Amino acid sequence: MKGGKKVKRMFVIGTVASDLTITIAVAACILALGANIASMHSYPVYLLGKMISLGATIQHVEVLVAIIWMLSIFFKVVIVFYAIQLSIVQLCNLRVRNFLSFPLGLIITGVAYYIIPNTAYFNYFEKYYWPFYLFVLSVCFPLLFIALSYIKKNKAAKGDRSQQT
């Protein structure tokens, strides 16, 4: 299981690196902007990038911040899209998944705009409804899957015992 240990090690290294990056960004925003100003802005890292200029050579750091954000959002969306597509393929026992890409992309684009049309609605949703969604996704679903797994194992064990007698 040499590959599994390597994957686990890389996962831990990636997690620590991302946690360290977020901690540094938050600390820099709070130290440079102050807690009040940082909390009032939706994107304080972008504001901090606007403020940074190192002489005449390094200016417009906010462009670099925006590019990093766009790339990270792109890769997150690609990974989630792939997971949704693979889940549908496995759920429906399909052999080919390529034909799902275009219709699934159209559906997700339309549904995303319909569900959250603007930032004000997103902030309202996040404040009042997100805790309930988070509870269902992080507590109820895992407990449901654990219970179903337990039931499935018990049925398999009972089936094995009845065949032996």
Side-chain angles (χ1 to χ4, degrees), residues 82-102:
Y82 178 73
I84 291 171
Q85 187 177 5
L86 194 61
S87 299
I88 291 172
V89 166
Q90 289 178 354
L91 187 66
C92 299
N93 290 327
L94 301 174
R95 294 181 186 186
V96 181
R97 70 169 188 265
N98 295 339
F99 72 92
L100 286 176
S101 297
F102 186 70

Side-chain angles (χ1 to χ4, degrees), residues 54-101:
L54 300 174
T57 55
I58 301 177
Q59 293 181 345
H60 300 289
V61 178
E62 72 269 11
V63 174
L64 181 64
V65 171
I67 290 170
I68 291 170
W69 271 340
M70 287 180 197
L71 285 174
S72 65
I73 290 171
F74 172 77
F75 283 111
K76 287 178 193 176
V77 168
V78 166
I79 290 169
V80 169
F81 185 81
Y82 178 73
I84 291 171
Q85 187 177 5
L86 194 61
S87 299
I88 291 172
V89 166
Q90 289 178 354
L91 187 66
C92 299
N93 290 327
L94 301 174
R95 294 181 186 186
V96 181
R97 70 169 188 265
N98 295 339
F99 72 92
L100 286 176
S101 297

Side-chain angles (χ1 to χ4, degrees), residues 122-135:
F122 176 74
N123 291 337
Y124 177 80
F125 174 83
E126 186 179 33
K127 184 176 181 181
Y128 293 107
Y129 297 113
W130 183 247
F132 300 112
Y133 280 103
L134 190 62
F135 178 75

Side-chain angles (χ1 to χ4, degrees), residues 7-85:
V7 169
K8 185 176 180 181
R9 182 174 177 269
M10 289 296 147
F11 179 77
V12 169
I13 289 172
T15 303
V16 169
S18 65
D19 288 346
L20 187 63
T21 304
I22 290 172
T23 303
I24 290 171
V26 168
C29 286
I30 291 174
L31 291 173
L33 301 173
N36 289 335
I37 294 175
S39 66
M40 288 189 312
H41 289 277
S42 296
Y43 305 107
V45 174
Y46 186 75
L47 181 65
L48 186 65
K50 278 187 189 178
M51 294 174 59
I52 295 174
S53 72
L54 300 174
T57 55
I58 301 177
Q59 293 181 345
H60 300 289
V61 178
E62 72 269 11
V63 174
L64 181 64
V65 171
I67 290 170
I68 291 170
W69 271 340
M70 287 180 197
L71 285 174
S72 65
I73 290 171
F74 172 77
F75 283 111
K76 287 178 193 176
V77 168
V78 166
I79 290 169
V80 169
F81 185 81
Y82 178 73
I84 291 171
Q85 187 177 5

Side-chain angles (χ1 to χ4, degrees), residues 139-157:
V139 176
C140 295
F141 278 172
L143 288 176
L144 176 68
F145 292 141
I146 289 170
L148 290 174
S149 172
Y150 182 73
I151 291 169
K152 187 175 179 181
K153 284 181 184 178
N154 282 345
K155 282 186 178 182

